[in-house]
Amino acid sequence: MGVGETTRRVTRRRARTRANLLDAAFAVFAAKGFGRVSIEEVCEAAGYSRGAFYSNFDSLDELFFALYRQRADLIADQVAGALAVDGPGLDVPAAVDRVTEVLLLDRDWLLVKTDFLVHAARDPAVAATLLEHRARLRAAIADRLARGHTALPAVLGGTDGAAHAVVAAYDGVTTQLLLDRDTEHARAWLGRLLTALLTDGSDTTGQRTTA
């Protein structure tokens, strides 16, 4: 076996170990809460040693940010994919309808994210990294809104303000979802909120569901 093939096998094995650690951590975080989980518990759930953990992550915080990036990228892709259907223009009500159909509303993830948000609120360094990730998501939304043909409400202060409003609406709806566990209601309510935020609120042609 050549050096190149050996390197590729090691790289694939490392990637598989990292993915398994992320999956195990997600399950343990969701079940017990971020602040109540140790590295040992993640390793046990994944079936690996502490050495395997530290060859991929320096800390639980770093592991969480890898999880966060994974899901933030998924959300950004879902939003971008739904908005891209309109091509160069953007039909806001119809796009909102598509976004709320596909958007990730996973309660386990929301539990993990909320736990970590509380942790970050007490640690400025962690909070700074979390803010950076959220800013990337807002930037992706703002970029797509900037290429739309629908005028945004002036009160939002442009596409950056609109992106902040979109993320705030998502945060609010998902907080309610944590309590009432009603995903269908969350999707319908998010759709109405986004339509009201991004238009004058009177055009509901893109909304097919009711709460």
Side-chain angles (χ1 to χ4, degrees):
M1 182 183 299
V3 173
E5 179 61 24
T6 299
T7 300
R8 282 191 292 273
R9 288 187 61 181
V10 170
T11 301
R12 286 196 298 270
R13 184 168 64 248
R14 183 185 179 94
R16 187 166 58 249
T17 298
R18 182 181 177 87
N20 289 340
L21 284 166
L22 286 169
D23 288 344
F26 178 78
V28 176
F29 288 162
K32 299 189 65 174
F34 176 81
R36 299 180 178 87
V37 174
S38 67
I39 289 174
E40 288 77 8
E41 287 172 302
V42 172
C43 293
E44 181 179 352
Y48 293 120
S49 66
R50 284 175 63 92
F53 179 94
Y54 283 114
S55 69
N56 287 276
F57 305 102
D58 290 334
S59 64
L60 285 176
D61 282 0
E62 184 183 340
L63 182 150
F64 175 83
F65 279 121
L67 273 176
Y68 187 90
R69 188 179 304 112
Q70 189 181 72
R71 280 158 178 77
D73 287 348
L74 174 59
I75 291 171
D77 287 346
Q78 288 173 328
V79 171
L83 297 181
V85 173
D86 290 324
L90 181 63
D91 178 346
V92 169
V96 165
D97 197 38
R98 290 194 302 273
V99 167
T100 55
E101 286 286 333
V102 303
L103 194 61
L104 178 69
L105 288 172
D106 178 74
R107 191 169 181 275
D108 281 348
W109 167 239
L110 297 175
L111 285 169
V112 172
K113 188 177 76 167
T114 301
D115 275 342
F116 196 76
L117 178 62
V118 173
H119 169 61
R122 293 189 173 97
D123 187 326
V126 177
T129 304
L130 191 57
L131 286 169
E132 179 185 338
H133 284 289
R134 288 171 63 86
R136 286 196 202 116
L137 177 60
R138 290 197 305 270
I141 295 170
D143 177 69
R144 186 62 186 92
L145 291 174
R147 292 183 279 119
H149 60 69
T150 302
L152 297 169
V155 70
L156 294 177
T159 54
D160 287 342
H164 272 272
V166 167
V167 174
Y170 176 75
D171 286 343
V173 168
T174 53
T175 297
Q176 181 67 23
L177 176 59
L178 281 173
L179 301 176
D180 65 22
R181 303 170 183 251
D182 190 342
T183 302
E184 290 309 308
H185 183 272
R187 288 192 191 284
W189 186 231
L190 181 61
R192 287 200 296 274
L193 274 177
L194 294 182
T195 298
L197 282 168
L198 300 178
T199 68
D200 62 5
S202 63
D203 188 344
T204 57
T205 57
Q207 295 303 301
R208 297 192 299 268
T209 57
T210 58

